[in-house]
Amino acid sequence: MSPPVAWLMLVIAGALDVGWAISMKYAEGYTRVGWSIVSLMLLAAFVFLLGRALKVLEIGVAYSVWTGIGAAGTFVMGVVLFGETLSAMKLAGIALVLMGIVALKLA
């Protein structure tokens, strides 16, 4: 697998991580069967893709980028879907996370 393909898999795994986190919220502690199944499927998919990407990419960089995508994406979706609060400090924190992702990719 080439590095660009590994990076693509990593970004998709990060997006699936966001979906997984949101589906866990909808699963309400895994008490709603449909959302619980969706959650477990997303979990399996992102773990698979992350594992494949780690065959090529450095673990420290890849894991940091993956968690950053998950954190930033989940934050945004929390605001959009659940009306979570948005403040200047939170935006600054997410901006720092995103800058860190870019810095790790460029390193």
Side-chain angles (χ1 to χ4, degrees), residues 13-105:
L16 291 173
D17 182 35
V18 174
W20 172 65
I22 298 305
S23 69
M24 281 198 308
K25 177 80 169 168
Y26 284 127
E28 296 178 3
Y30 289 100
T31 59
R32 296 178 67 195
V33 175
W35 279 109
S36 297
I37 291 169
V38 169
S39 176
L40 294 173
M41 289 173 49
L42 289 168
L43 172 65
F46 85 64
V47 167
F48 174 78
L49 290 175
L50 178 60
R52 297 285 296 174
L54 290 176
K55 291 178 78 171
V56 174
L57 304 175
E58 296 176 349
I59 190 166
V61 171
Y63 188 78
S64 299
V65 168
W66 171 73
T67 57
I69 292 169
T74 303
F75 170 78
V76 169
M77 294 308 291
V79 170
V80 170
L81 295 175
F82 305 114
E84 295 176 359
T85 61
L86 188 61
S87 68
M89 186 62 80
K90 287 181 181 180
L91 286 174
I94 290 300
L96 289 171
V97 169
L98 294 174
M99 287 189 295
I101 291 170
V102 170
L104 287 168
K105 171 63 174 109

